[in-house]
Amino acid sequence: MSYINLIHTVFSVLALISGAVVIIQTKGTITHKRYGYTYFISMLILIATSFMIFDLFEGFGAYHVLAIVSLVTLFLGMFFPLFKRNYRGWLIQHYMWMSYSYVGLVMAGGSHLFAMVPNWPSWLSILLFWVLPYVVGSILIFKNRKKILQDIKERYKMDIVVR
């Protein structure tokens, strides 16, 4: 394994763990922010290193396109709390973009694990590592959105939109 692949893998695991802590912990706390920044920085490093990995396609490939999507999702997730806190819908934007950033990370991680298992049909890979995490993630994101945002609004006495 090359140093780039090792760095990519280490920060992928760190992003998965720190992202899970952010999801589980109470939102808006110091813990949330610390693990959130750890997730953000880990994602930046793993995205950057992904552009140095060409093993699968011997050049720019599908995972590089998805890395660009991941970068946009990540930046939009951080843009609102850092620069648009005067916008009443900033918290919804942060919650949705960061949640889908994590879902994308889980999807990418699963698809990399699939590559280690030979002779699986591609339809099974797509179902298990792309469709299932996206559907389950979306259900959880929308199911918990109003409760999480309402809790933050009440706890911090914030004037935000909760939908």
Side-chain angles (χ1 to χ4, degrees):
M1 179 183 281
S2 74
Y3 287 113
I4 295 298
N5 285 349
L6 179 63
I7 292 167
H8 182 78
T9 302
V10 166
F11 282 96
S12 297
V13 171
L14 185 57
L16 280 167
I17 293 168
S18 59
V21 171
V22 169
I23 290 168
I24 293 167
Q25 291 292 328
T26 303
K27 309 299 178 261
T29 63
I30 294 296
T31 302
H32 170 88
K33 291 175 184 176
R34 285 184 182 152
Y35 279 93
Y37 280 115
T38 301
Y39 173 79
F40 178 73
I41 291 166
S42 298
M43 286 294 292
L44 287 178
I45 294 169
L46 83 88
I47 290 168
T49 56
S50 75
F51 291 109
M52 299 173 205
I53 300 172
F54 300 104
D55 303 6
L56 296 172
F57 301 103
E58 297 181 14
F60 192 85
Y63 285 111
H64 298 112
V65 172
L66 293 172
I68 293 169
V69 171
S70 182
L71 186 63
V72 169
T73 305
L74 187 66
F75 273 118
L76 285 170
M78 291 302 291
F79 174 77
F80 288 92
L82 293 177
F83 303 110
K84 287 292 186 181
R85 281 186 164 242
N86 58 342
Y87 168 59
R88 288 188 69 225
W90 76 267
L91 194 59
I92 292 171
Q93 295 295 325
H94 175 64
Y95 172 79
M96 296 300 288
W97 288 111
M98 293 308 285
S99 295
Y100 275 106
S101 171
Y102 191 76
V103 168
L105 175 63
V106 170
M107 292 165 60
S111 68
H112 281 297
L113 289 175
F114 168 76
M116 295 179 193
V117 181
N119 302 322
W120 277 29
S122 60
W123 67 265
L124 184 58
S125 158
I126 292 167
L127 181 67
L128 288 178
F129 301 118
W130 292 94
V131 175
L132 186 64
Y134 183 80
V135 169
V136 171
S138 294
I139 289 168
L140 291 172
I141 289 166
F142 282 93
K143 178 181 176 244
N144 295 317
R145 179 184 66 190
K146 190 170 185 174
K147 178 181 173 259
I148 288 169
L149 297 176
Q150 188 64 40
D151 175 59
I152 293 169
K153 180 177 182 170
E154 290 170 5
R155 195 164 7 99
Y156 295 103
K157 312 264 187 283
M158 296 174 72
D159 181 28
I160 56 170
V161 176
V162 176
R163 293 184 216 144

